[in-house]
Amino acid sequence: MIINHPLLGPRDRQEFTYLGDACLIDRPGWQAEDAMDQFFEYVYLRDDPAGEHRELWYHEHGDRSWLVVTRNTVTHEITNVELASDVARKQGRSK
Amino acid sequence: MGFGIAPISVETDRFHELGAIKEKNAMSYSGLRVIREALNGQRGWKPAWRNPEPKPNYDIIVIGGGGHGLATAHYLVTKYGEKSIAVVEKGWIGSGNAGRNTTIVRGDYTLPPNTRFYDHSVGLWEKMERELNFNVMHSQRGVLFLHHNDAERDDHYRKTNIMRMQGTDGEILGPEKLRKMYPSMNFDGRFPITGAYLHRRGGTARHDAVVWGYARSADRRGVDILQNCEVTGFRIEQGKVLGIETTHGFIGAKKVGVSVAGNTSRVMDMAGIRTPIESHVLQAFVSEGLKPIIPGQVNYGAGHFYISQSDKGGLVMGGDLDKYNSCAQRGNLPVFESVIEAAVTLFPMLSRARLLRAWGGLQDMTMDGHAVIDETPIKGLYLNGGWCYGGFKATPAAGECFAHLLSTEQPHELAKPYRLDRFRTGYLLDEKGQGPNPNRQ
C-alpha cells in the first residue's frame, strides 16, 4: 500500500504507523455538561464502515507528520491524503 | 445427554419413544455404523442437516451460522428447551471466521472473569464429541509459549502462578525438557530460547467439524438453518425488535441474537447502534502436508508468531493483525513476511516447505480486547460479538452463555462481566493493559 504524502509524495505504508478513525481529532471539551458521555463516545465508539474510512496515520519513519487518509477498507484504495493539521485548521482550530 | 431427537414434551408415548430411540440409533455416527455402511455400499448416509424454507415467525432468530451461532441454537434446544428457533446465515454455514482461524483451543488467561469463562469453555470442549456425537478432532496436545530472556521468564512465572492459583494448568519448562519435545526447534538463534510455559489442556480442533457438529445437533432437534439468507435490516418499532428483513423477505421473531463475528459493526449499524469495535484482518497460512514434526502448538516469544500442525500434516501459522481497519478478508504482505521470517527463525528446516494457502479473517477488535455477550438498548435484540482473535476457543461457552441470555433474558453467571456498557462504567477487561487501541492488541 502506498500513501501519497502531501509534502513528500508517494511513500510505502511501512514508513507509517496507524492510529484509527479520524474522529479522534475532535476531542470533546472537558467542561461540557455531558462531558462523560461525550468522552465515552470519543474514546470507545466507532463507525467502523466497510467502505470509505477517514483515518489517522503517523509518518513515523519520515517527517513525523500526522495525516488524514481516506481509504476504502474493502479495496484499500486511497482517494485522499491531507495533513491532519490542515484538517484541524479547516475546522477552526489554531493548530 | 441424548442425541438425535427433539425433547418430547407431551405425555410420554411409549411407541413414540421407542420409534425415536430406533431413529436415534439409525442416525447416530459410530464405528459400527461405518462398518454397516461399508457393507451396504454407503447408501444409508443422509445429509447431516436440512435446507428448509423460512417460516414466517420464530420465537428466537440467531443471526450468523458460524460456530457461535450454531452452538447457541444447540444449547437453546438442549439446555433451555426452546422450540421455535432459526439460524440465518448469509453464505453457507462456517464460511466466516469459523473457517478462517488457526483452530487453537486454550484457557490460559489471568483476569478472574476470563479464567472462569475459558476454563469452563475448555471443559465443554473436552466433552463436545460425546455431546454432539460428532468427531471434532479435539486434541489436547499442549500449548507452548516460549521465552527468550529473564523478563519474559519472570512474566511467564507470574502468569502461570496466577493461572494455577485459579485452578488452570500451566507449568514452566527449562530448555532441556524443551529440546526433547521439539528437537527441530532452533534454540540458539538471534533470540536464544531459555524456556517456556506449557498449558497442557490447550490444543487444537477441526474447525469445520465444530460447525457441522453443532449444525447437525441443532437441526435434528428442529432448528431451521437458513443458509444463503442475508440480513438486510431489522424491523424495530417503539424500541422493540419485531423481526429481520432478509434476502428471503421478512421473518418475524420475538427475540433476535446477533452472532456475526467480523461483521458486528455493520449488522449493529442496521439497528442504529454504534459499537466499541473496529474490524481488523488477521492472516493465517498453511503449508503443504508434511510428516509429523510439530507435536503441539508453539508460540514464539521474540516476535508475534504461532504454529501448529494439523492432523492432515499442514503447518498452520499466524502472526500479527494487519494493524489498520480492514473489511477485506485478505491480508497484506508485510505481515506475511514477518510470519515467514519468524517461522524460519524458529524452525530453520521450514525454509524448504511450500505454502499451500493463506487467508484473512475479519476480527471484531473491541476497545479492551474482550468480548460482549449482552442485551442492547433495543428490547429483544441481543449481541454476542467482539471476540477479537479469540472466538474459536470460546465457541461452546459463548454458545451456552448466549443461549442463556436469549432464553432467560438474564446474563449467564459466567458472562456477567462481558457487558456492553462496561466501556461506559469503566469495568474493562483489558487483559494486556493496551487501552483503547485495537490495532495494537
Side-chain angles (χ1 to χ4, degrees):
Chain A
M1 207 157 78
I2 304 287
I3 296 175
N4 195 5
H5 194 295
L7 304 176
L8 304 172
R11 315 295 298 192
D12 192 276
R13 163 258 178 281
Q14 284 194 283
E15 294 179 12
F16 296 83
T17 53
Y18 179 77
L19 183 66
D21 195 314
C23 70
L24 292 171
I25 293 178
D26 306 312
R27 191 184 171 86
W30 62 274
Q31 285 172 309
E33 277 288 307
D34 57 346
M36 279 290 273
D37 288 334
Q38 283 191 40
F39 266 99
F40 159 66
E41 288 184 15
Y42 170 78
V43 175
Y44 293 117
L45 298 188
R46 299 285 184 272
D47 287 337
D48 192 25
E52 212 161 78
H53 188 229
R54 291 179 79 240
E55 54 201 19
L56 285 164
W57 289 79
Y58 177 57
H59 199 194
E60 189 172 29
H61 300 289
D63 69 346
R64 300 200 220 161
S65 58
W66 282 95
L67 306 180
V68 175
V69 176
T70 308
R71 179 180 59 95
N72 187 310
T73 59
V74 180
T75 63
H76 301 318
E77 186 194 2
I78 293 172
T79 46
N80 194 26
V81 184
E82 299 166 271
L83 287 172
S85 53
D86 288 349
V87 173
R89 278 196 204 100
K90 257 188 252 167
Q91 292 170 358
R93 296 244 303 263
S94 59
K95 56 179 182 178
Chain B
M1 188 170 297
F3 351 93
I5 47 165
I8 298 162
S9 57
V10 289
E11 285 294 310
T12 312
D13 177 339
R14 188 76 187 139
F15 288 107
H16 194 152
E17 206 176 49
L18 280 174
I21 290 169
K22 212 172 163 189
E23 189 196 347
K24 180 186 106 176
N25 289 339
M27 293 289 286
S28 62
Y29 295 155
S30 65
L32 200 64
R33 177 96 192 274
V34 171
I35 294 167
R36 215 171 61 210
E37 293 299 336
L39 298 172
N40 190 29
Q42 311 287 355
R43 283 189 298 263
W45 301 112
K46 293 203 175 72
W49 54 86
R50 299 162 295 135
N51 229 342
E53 285 299 311
K55 293 182 193 135
N57 284 289
Y58 293 93
D59 286 348
I60 299 173
I61 290 179
V62 179
I63 304 173
H68 283 223
L70 292 164
T72 304
H74 163 83
Y75 282 109
L76 277 170
V77 262
T78 57
K79 198 169 168 197
Y80 297 97
E82 295 288 344
K83 294 197 174 51
S84 164
I85 304 161
V87 177
V88 295
E89 164 59 46
K90 74 171 173 181
W92 61 91
I93 57 168
S95 59
N97 282 357
R100 292 168 176 270
N101 58 69
T102 46
T103 75
I104 298 160
V105 174
R106 57 184 172 86
D108 54 335
Y109 284 76
T110 51
L111 293 179
N114 288 345
T115 310
R116 280 196 295 273
F117 182 88
Y118 285 104
D119 211 45
H120 181 67
S121 196
V122 171
L124 291 177
W125 275 102
E126 284 166 349
K127 53 186 185 190
M128 185 186 289
E129 293 173 343
R130 266 167 293 151
E131 200 177 319
L132 300 179
N133 176 231
F134 206 97
N135 182 8
V136 300
M137 298 166 80
H138 179 223
S139 156
Q140 292 177 299
R141 51 184 70 178
V143 171
L144 194 70
F145 283 81
L146 301 174
H147 50 249
H148 307 261
N149 55 45
D150 291 352
E152 278 185 333
R153 184 202 57 202
D154 293 352
D155 182 54
H156 281 177
Y157 268 107
R158 172 182 165 273
K159 186 168 179 184
T160 46
N161 284 341
I162 294 172
M163 280 155 51
R164 291 167 75 138
M165 280 165 71
Q166 296 182 71
T168 306
D169 82 285
E171 61 196 274
I172 301 287
L173 301 181
E176 302 76 30
K177 275 190 181 163
L178 281 179
R179 275 178 202 270
K180 280 197 191 118
M181 288 170 74
Y182 289 91
S184 58
M185 207 150 65
N186 178 15
F187 283 80
D188 310 305
R190 169 70 181 82
F191 301 101
I193 295 163
T194 55
Y197 87 75
L198 177 63
H199 173 56
R200 287 188 192 271
R201 279 177 86 198
T204 60
R206 168 99 169 87
H207 53 106
D208 288 329
V210 178
V211 174
W212 298 335
Y214 278 123
R216 175 168 166 268
S217 164
D219 176 86
R220 295 171 83 180
R221 293 173 172 91
V223 173
D224 282 356
I225 300 170
L226 310 172
Q227 301 186 82
N228 298 307
C229 179
E230 184 172 352
V231 174
T232 53
F234 293 94
R235 191 173 290 179
I236 296 164
E237 274 174 29
Q238 294 172 333
K240 186 179 183 325
V241 71
L242 302 177
I244 54 171
E245 305 286 352
T246 73
T247 47
H248 286 46
F250 174 77
I251 309 174
K254 291 179 189 150
K255 294 176 222 173
V256 177
V258 176
S259 188
V260 293
N263 288 303
T264 305
S265 301
R266 264 79 58 203
V267 173
M268 295 311 281
D269 189 45
M270 292 178 197
I273 295 171
R274 281 182 96 208
T275 52
I277 290 172
E278 284 181 11
S279 301
H280 288 260
V281 160
L282 184 69
Q283 300 185 68
F285 311 91
V286 64
S287 78
E288 60 188 333
L290 302 168
K291 287 185 178 179
I293 42 172
I294 297 176
Q297 197 274 322
V298 183
N299 297 269
Y300 190 37
H304 199 158
F305 170 72
Y306 43 92
I307 186 166
S308 61
Q309 189 166 20
S310 80
D311 290 338
K312 269 197 294 190
L315 298 169
V316 186
M317 298 169 266
D320 260 328
L321 290 174
D322 277 8
K323 294 200 184 283
Y324 47 83
N325 288 37
S326 176
C327 299
Q329 287 198 319
R330 60 185 160 78
N332 66 20
L333 284 173
V335 169
F336 174 80
E337 199 176 15
S338 87
V339 167
I340 300 306
E341 276 172 4
V344 174
T345 308
L346 199 55
F347 294 98
M349 86 285 196
L350 293 189
S351 64
R352 289 190 293 159
R354 280 169 296 192
L355 270 190
L356 201 61
R357 284 185 292 128
W359 64 91
L362 295 192
Q363 320 295 319
D364 282 352
M365 301 303 298
T366 60
M367 295 293 161
D368 63 356
H370 227 284
V372 170
I373 305 177
D374 201 5
E375 59 187 18
T376 68
I378 292 165
K379 197 164 166 15
L381 183 63
Y382 298 86
L383 172 65
N384 166 40
W387 286 96
C388 302
Y389 36 68
F392 182 71
K393 58 181 167 290
T395 302
E400 187 183 359
C401 291
F402 200 36
H404 184 100
L405 178 67
L406 280 165
S407 183
T408 66
E409 300 177 25
Q410 298 295 321
H412 189 283
E413 191 57 38
L414 288 169
K416 275 181 182 166
Y418 300 157
R419 300 297 303 264
L420 183 57
D421 68 357
R422 69 175 183 271
F423 300 94
R424 191 185 285 276
T425 55
Y427 289 98
L428 300 180
L429 287 164
D430 197 346
E431 185 94 19
K432 291 187 193 163
Q434 297 275 25
N437 301 303
N439 54 319
R440 287 179 209 160
Q441 277 158 358

